[in-house]
Amino acid sequence: MKKLYQDMTAQELACEKAELEKRYQEFKAKDLKLDMSRGKPGSDQLDLSSALNDVKDYTENGVDLRNYGMLDGTPACKKLFAQLMGVEPKNVIIGPNASLTLMFDYISQCFTHGAGDTPWRSLDKVKFLCPVPGYDRHFTILEYFGIEMINIDMNADGPDMDAVEEAVKDPCVKGMFCVPKYSNPQGITYSDGVVRRIAALKPAAKDFRVMWDNAYMIHDVVYPGDELLNIFDILPQYGNEDMVIEFCSTSKITFPGAGVSALAASDNNIAAIKKRLNAQTISYDKMNQHRHVEFFGDANGVMAHMKKHAAILKPKFDIVLGHLKNELEGLGIASWTDPRGGYFISLDVTEGCAKRVGELCREAGVVLTTVGATFPYGKDPKDRNIRIAPTYPPVSELDTAAELLCICVRLAAAEKLLAK
């Protein structure tokens, strides 16, 4: 029977710490070099898409795709992404390999030309809402533009909508980043109620934009996966068709370095974005768009491909979750998510201990996501959240890294309690 750390006597904690230090030193002696820092696909996942390179014919409906033209993407690729996102092809623009580029460019457009109102560069202050813990790359974009970030706590069903509805009363609040399905890092899928409340928002800022980063829309690990309500079906009910821009990509479907990205938006937003694109580029990589269409065929082909990914990923998630349960459950020092998809597991350790856990892991040869990265400005106010990325390491290395991580969580908690 496990005993809560908080209920242990000083002597019991000292004995626990001594045993943990012994195990920790045994791991340090192995001279490990393991990386769990980013949510990258493993080589076995990348191998699933090798046949993309077999395409030889680059014509579509008699058009040579190796040449200029088709600013917003090939018709076939637009149709494929429209199927995946549940919108009309006319409301889709196909971009480069990374959806982050599309997000960055859209924020840039809002700064230089506005989103139907005053360009943001002309304003004294611009603020964005950031559900936390969240995706560090979103925070990096906002910080680059000098946008003030406001933390919005995540609940089990999505962002704290009471806080969101209160925050958007400020006309300086111009937007919110969301990862609505299998959120990064918690793996939470927004409930229908949360999606409806987002669609129904009445912000003081007429140019308020929700950056709907649907990066993991088909990245189920457990079947059946979570269902996300299509926000574009709801927006017209509230006259908010222009409020949401959706982004996605094949970065974790085919090749992160050579995938295809897309955005979906209202007619008005598509027209504004295409006007900017006409000055920005001739077209994105249509040959790569064509390769993806030839490889998948249609949305059903994409979904079948994702089941192959899930077969590789589920054992990795199970390994990490198994160690968390066996090592940490019942001690009162940690909690974690058990996502049905996505790329991460979110671990909350004893308050004030996350940096120490990261330090201990690093000294023993395991690199985690930088502690604090899941919050704006890299500042976790409670110093407790750690993003676990189980996808990249081979199974054998992941098993070792997960066990060491748990030892470090326990050791950091014991140190803190003894220091009191």
Side-chain angles (χ1 to χ4, degrees):
M1 184 71 176
K2 291 182 179 179
K3 190 173 184 179
L4 294 172
Y5 270 33
Q6 293 87 340
D7 293 342
M8 289 184 181
T9 65
Q11 184 176 1
E12 287 173 330
L13 269 175
C15 289
E16 173 80 355
K17 179 172 175 286
E19 179 60 30
L20 291 167
E21 285 177 336
K22 180 181 177 183
R23 292 176 65 188
Y24 179 71
Q25 291 302 326
E26 289 172 355
F27 273 93
K28 282 190 73 173
K30 295 179 181 180
D31 193 27
L32 301 172
K33 290 181 177 58
L34 309 180
D35 187 355
M36 293 174 65
S37 61
R38 304 296 314 182
K40 298 189 294 187
S43 296
D44 46 358
Q45 291 176 261
L46 301 178
D47 289 342
L48 295 174
S49 300
S50 295
L52 268 171
N53 298 318
D54 296 341
V55 175
K56 298 294 188 291
D57 180 15
Y58 287 98
T59 59
E60 182 177 313
N61 297 325
V63 177
D64 190 339
L65 300 178
R66 299 173 299 176
N67 218 322
Y68 293 125
M70 298 184 185
L71 179 69
D72 56 347
T74 70
C77 198
K78 285 163 63 77
K79 180 180 178 181
L80 175 62
F81 274 92
Q83 291 172 345
L84 293 173
M85 292 191 279
V87 297
E88 294 297 319
K90 68 182 179 66
N91 295 110
V92 173
I93 290 176
I94 305 300
N97 70 296
S99 56
L100 275 170
T101 302
L102 294 177
M103 295 179 218
F104 184 96
D105 286 347
Y106 187 72
I107 297 291
S108 298
Q109 178 180 316
C110 292
F111 259 83
T112 58
H113 288 72
D117 205 351
T118 304
W120 294 358
R121 60 182 167 82
S122 301
L123 303 174
D124 291 335
K125 188 176 286 292
V126 177
K127 303 177 184 178
F128 247 64
L129 307 183
C130 299
V132 292
Y135 182 29
D136 53 320
R137 298 279 186 166
H138 292 161
F139 308 149
T140 300
I141 292 173
L142 297 175
E143 192 167 5
Y144 179 85
F145 284 99
I147 297 174
E148 180 182 334
M149 293 178 270
I150 300 171
N151 291 1
I152 299 292
D153 289 335
M154 282 284 284
N155 295 327
D157 63 346
D160 179 347
M161 288 308 299
D162 290 341
V164 171
E165 289 164 354
E166 183 63 30
V168 298
K169 294 177 182 178
D170 179 355
C172 293
V173 173
K174 295 294 186 179
M176 175 169 69
F177 266 109
C178 293
V179 182
K181 186 172 181 180
Y182 303 135
S183 65
N184 180 350
Q186 292 171 300
I188 292 169
T189 297
Y190 293 9
S191 69
D192 290 1
V194 164
V195 174
R196 290 184 183 279
R197 287 178 73 176
I198 292 173
L201 285 172
K202 295 299 179 187
K206 290 183 289 187
D207 53 350
F208 180 89
R209 290 292 183 268
V210 177
M211 307 287 280
W212 200 249
D213 184 3
N214 208 356
Y216 308 108
M217 61 182 181
I218 53 174
H219 293 67
D220 303 313
V221 173
V222 178
Y223 286 88
D226 292 349
E227 292 290 333
L228 175 69
L229 186 64
N230 187 347
I231 197 166
F232 286 109
D233 291 340
I234 311 301
L235 291 167
Q237 299 175 20
Y238 303 98
N240 278 337
E241 293 92 331
D242 295 340
M243 191 174 70
V244 175
I245 313 288
E246 181 175 2
F247 304 88
C248 67
S249 76
T250 68
S251 288
K252 293 180 174 68
I253 297 174
T254 54
F255 303 131
V260 176
S261 64
L263 65 79
S266 67
D267 291 346
N268 289 337
N269 281 321
I270 290 292
I273 293 169
K274 287 174 71 173
K275 183 177 180 181
R276 185 246 303 161
L277 284 178
N278 193 53
Q280 182 178 353
T281 186
I282 301 300
S283 68
Y284 292 114
D285 189 345
K286 299 187 298 296
M287 294 173 67
N288 196 29
Q289 295 170 27
H290 183 68
R291 280 193 289 268
H292 279 73
V293 173
E294 290 292 297
F295 181 62
F296 289 121
D298 57 19
N300 290 329
V302 181
M303 300 307 291
H305 185 77
M306 294 311 295
K307 288 191 174 182
K308 298 176 184 177
H309 278 278
I312 294 171
L313 291 181
K314 189 174 187 305
K316 294 186 174 185
F317 275 81
D318 288 345
I319 284 171
V320 175
L321 292 168
H323 278 291
L324 294 173
K325 179 180 175 66
N326 293 335
E327 290 273 359
L328 302 179
E329 192 173 66
L331 300 179
I333 60 172
S335 61
W336 54 91
T337 57
D338 185 357
R340 300 178 63 81
Y343 257 60
F344 306 101
I345 297 168
S346 182
L347 172 66
D348 282 337
V349 301
T350 301
E351 189 170 328
C353 287
K355 287 183 179 178
R356 177 58 177 156
V357 172
E359 181 181 83
L360 287 167
C361 284
R362 185 171 59 253
E363 289 177 0
V366 172
V367 180
L368 303 175
T369 299
T370 302
V371 174
T374 52
F375 286 78
Y377 311 109
K379 297 177 181 179
D380 179 350
K382 296 185 178 179
D383 185 24
R384 69 176 184 181
N385 185 251
I386 294 173
R387 186 179 75 173
I388 302 174
T391 58
Y392 182 67
V395 168
S396 59
E397 293 184 3
L398 183 64
D399 192 43
T400 301
E403 183 180 354
L404 175 60
L405 170 61
C406 291
I407 292 171
C408 294
V409 170
R410 292 174 63 177
L411 184 54
E415 288 176 348
K416 185 173 179 64
L417 288 168
L418 280 170
K420 288 183 178 180

